[in-house]
Amino acid sequence: MIEVRTSSAEDGAARNVSVLYVGGYGRSGSTVIDMALAQFPGVFGAGELGNLPRHVWPNDEYCACGARVRACPLWSSIVERWLEREPPGTMERYGHLCVRFEAVRNPLQTLGVTGWTRGFQEYARLTKNLFTAIQETTGCRVIVDSSKSPSRALQLSRIAGIDLSLLHLMRDGRGVAWSMMKTHEVDLSAGVQRPVGGAPAIRTAHRWMAFNLLTEFAASRVGAQRSIQLRYEDFTADPVGALQPVLAMVEAARETSDATDLAEIIPGHQVAGSRIRMGGPLRISRDAAWEVKMPEQDRLKVQRRAGWMLRRYRYL
Ligand SMILES: [Zn+2]
């Protein structure tokens, strides 16, 4: 249970914030990982934070606690604290800055070679201040951001005052492709904001490779001491064991040992992410439906196109 803290004894703007970023491709279990990490003391799971200014706040979408985000006591406090000294319209302006600086479609910017372009300082300042507001409001030392986008990871790594650690989460590309082939209709209270799914397997194979390679690049920028790879399948096999190195990386291990067995995961205030966050307490299970349900021809398409990378991650 997160207690909302409304008063701050000291100005946190000067202090660094520890951010654990979950990067990789979609349908890889990032929301479950975010929720699992948040079961440990001192760790706050923010969900896909990059979507807060883009559509979650403007559309007043649902928080994992079941409230709409503007009615959620935690997020309304965070946003009030974050924007209290900012002019009206800042949320909207910040949303545009996030779209601009975190666009995967701009490869030079994603690779960080276009440098200090106009607007970046404003983007960096507001991003750092948002994390600070989360830290002060929740009292948690580590903030998990499971936005996934590798370009957001690269941008966060360039912001002074953010101590970024990167968890590169991956899942078997064939399972991801099967998940993307299935369709989900819009269901706002279930956390589905727009129709999703129906993607051809080969399209997913290409995107799965590109996003994982970009996440590897982001990890090389963050550095070996501050990045770690995790296969979602290894997490479902041994949830606590798989997260121990991750918690150790963000120096949360000592305070968290024996804190939870992760037998049941309680949703917190993940502000965006998979619809699984809206389903109440969660039991982790091995999701391998694709092994029996995915059409053979689609599985072979993914294996032919992405085989080298499936082998790289020990799936073949
Ligand atoms: Zn909430």
Side-chain angles (χ1 to χ4, degrees):
M1 178 64 94
I2 298 287
E3 178 191 337
V4 178
R5 302 187 178 196
T6 50
S7 62
S8 161
E10 51 193 314
D11 183 8
R15 267 182 291 134
N16 281 12
V17 183
S18 178
V19 175
L20 173 56
Y21 190 84
V22 184
Y25 192 50
R27 309 294 175 85
S28 298
S30 57
T31 301
V32 175
I33 294 288
D34 186 306
M35 289 162 59
L37 286 164
Q39 305 301 302
F40 294 92
V43 181
F44 176 70
E48 294 180 359
L49 187 61
N51 286 325
L52 177 75
R54 297 184 194 210
H55 55 79
V56 174
W57 190 267
N59 299 339
D60 200 15
E61 293 171 7
Y62 282 91
C63 177
C65 69
R68 286 193 180 257
V69 67
R70 295 187 204 174
C72 165
L74 190 72
W75 281 105
S76 56
S77 298
I78 289 169
V79 169
E80 189 182 337
R81 185 187 294 244
W82 174 40
L83 298 180
E84 65 186 350
R85 290 180 207 150
E86 305 290 344
T90 298
M91 179 73 87
E92 190 182 356
R93 199 172 71 254
Y94 180 61
H96 292 310
L97 288 169
C98 287
V99 170
R100 188 167 134 208
F101 286 107
E102 297 170 7
V104 176
R105 74 181 81 90
N106 181 347
L108 289 179
Q109 190 167 283
T110 300
L111 296 176
V113 297
T114 49
W116 209 257
T117 51
R118 206 173 135 75
F120 184 83
Q121 289 191 38
E122 174 79 346
Y123 162 79
R125 183 181 67 81
L126 286 167
T127 303
K128 160 70 167 67
N129 288 352
L130 173 56
F131 280 113
T132 300
I134 294 171
Q135 189 177 59
E136 290 180 348
T137 308
T138 63
C140 290
R141 202 182 59 75
V142 178
I143 315 298
V144 179
D145 174 355
S146 54
S147 297
K148 303 189 297 268
S149 153
S151 50
R152 177 168 164 89
L154 280 162
Q155 297 296 25
L156 294 184
S157 75
R158 300 166 68 201
I159 297 176
I162 292 180
D163 290 337
L164 186 70
S165 302
L166 176 61
L167 168 57
H168 178 184
L169 179 68
M170 65 207 46
R171 185 181 159 208
D172 192 318
R174 294 165 295 184
V176 174
W178 169 241
S179 179
M180 297 294 263
M181 287 169 73
K182 294 184 290 184
T183 55
H184 298 290
E185 296 301 318
V186 170
D187 185 348
L188 292 181
S189 62
V192 184
Q193 315 297 336
R194 58 194 65 75
V196 290
I202 204 72
R203 176 180 184 272
T204 301
H206 286 144
R207 291 173 64 85
W208 180 78
M209 288 190 287
F211 274 72
N212 277 298
L213 281 174
L214 280 171
T215 308
E216 287 192 23
F217 177 76
S220 74
R221 283 292 175 94
V222 174
Q225 301 297 315
R226 281 286 169 198
S227 58
I228 199 165
Q229 289 189 342
L230 175 62
R231 303 192 315 167
Y232 186 68
E233 295 83 355
D234 293 336
F235 166 75
T236 58
D238 176 13
V240 176
L243 291 186
Q244 282 310 316
V246 181
L247 293 164
M249 178 173 70
V250 294
E251 289 152 19
R254 229 176 318 139
E255 56 193 285
T256 59
S257 58
D258 303 327
T260 172
D261 59 5
L262 296 180
E264 189 174 69
I265 295 178
I266 312 295
H269 293 275
Q270 284 74 17
V271 80
S274 149
R275 66 205 164 91
I276 204 161
R277 76 190 202 286
M278 307 304 301
L282 172 76
R283 287 185 182 277
I284 297 166
S285 61
R286 179 172 177 268
D287 177 12
W290 68 272
E291 290 175 8
V292 287
K293 291 185 179 167
M294 187 177 189
E296 178 76 8
Q297 61 191 40
D298 290 310
R299 185 196 306 208
L300 289 173
K301 274 184 199 166
V302 178
Q303 283 179 200
R304 273 197 292 270
R305 195 58 60 94
W308 65 277
M309 203 153 182
L310 288 167
R311 281 187 286 276
R312 183 188 184 90
Y313 296 149
R314 297 175 284 116
Y315 289 121
L316 274 183

